[in-house]
């Protein structure tokens, strides 16, 4: 299974409520938590957990920062194949600034980073061989 998509380092801030325009709100905790994020990365890990992990290949753009190493280790530890991923020389890893409220509501601001600058037509062409045509199902 091939999953192409975004990869982010999520920075999770617990707040009592979101700020209004022009207002500052103090976080509930003095430190933020961090976690692997990005819709593509989350889908790849979920697929690996539900099936044979070695059958899941994820294609993303790693940034040129220390976060990329941590994110790559997390994906690899989940058994996701990463050999086709790109590495941006222009930008750091994507990031999600996630605001978590006490009732579990989540709001986020996404900084695209390598997710935005790393995907080129040339990179997409290198992935074409990994995409298989749909199976032909004989009609009765």
């Amino acid at each position: 299974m091939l999953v192409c998509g975004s990869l982010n380092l999520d920075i999770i801030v617990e707040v009592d409520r979101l700020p209004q325009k022009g207002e500052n709100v103090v976080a509930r905790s003095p430190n933020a938590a961090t976690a692997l994020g990005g819709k593509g990365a989350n889908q790849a890990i979920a697929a690996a957990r539900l099936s044979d992990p070695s059958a899941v290949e994820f294609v993303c753009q790693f940034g040129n920062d220390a976060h990329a190493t941590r994110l790559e280790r997390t994906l690899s530890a989940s058994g996701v194949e990463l050999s086709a991923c790109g590495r941006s020389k222009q930008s750091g890893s994507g990031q999600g600034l996630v605001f978590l409220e006490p009732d579990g509501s989540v709001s986020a601001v996404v900084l695209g980073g390598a997710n935005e600058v790393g995907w080129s037509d040339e990179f997409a062409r290198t992935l074409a061989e990994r995409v298989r045509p749909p199976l032909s199902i004989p009609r009765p």
Side-chain angles (χ1 to χ4, degrees):
M1 171 186 306
L2 177 67
V3 178
C4 296
S6 62
L7 170 68
N8 294 327
L9 176 75
D10 282 353
I11 301 165
I12 304 159
V13 180
E14 294 182 25
V15 294
D16 288 325
R17 64 179 178 77
L18 296 176
Q20 299 295 315
K21 185 175 181 178
E23 178 186 28
N24 293 335
V25 171
V26 176
R28 286 196 323 252
S29 173
N31 298 302
T34 58
L36 178 137
K39 299 220 186 305
N42 291 334
Q43 289 171 359
I45 289 176
R49 288 178 180 167
L50 292 170
S51 66
D52 174 10
S54 64
V56 178
E57 182 177 16
F58 180 48
V59 178
C60 67
Q61 287 291 325
F62 289 104
N64 62 2
D65 54 9
H67 298 313
T69 302
R70 175 182 172 199
L71 295 169
E72 184 174 12
R73 273 190 299 225
T74 302
L75 287 161
S76 292
S78 296
V80 177
E81 169 61 40
L82 301 171
S83 63
C85 294
R87 297 199 176 274
S88 175
K89 294 179 182 175
Q90 303 167 322
S91 182
S93 300
Q95 295 181 30
L97 306 175
V98 180
F99 303 101
L100 176 61
E101 295 180 77
D103 67 358
S105 298
V106 175
S107 300
V109 175
V110 176
L111 297 112
N115 295 310
E116 284 188 26
V117 301
W119 292 92
S120 65
D121 289 343
E122 180 182 338
F123 182 66
R125 278 191 288 280
T126 67
L127 300 176
E129 64 192 44
R130 287 179 155 72
V131 179
R132 297 183 188 106
L135 294 174
S136 172
I137 300 173
R139 295 182 184 205

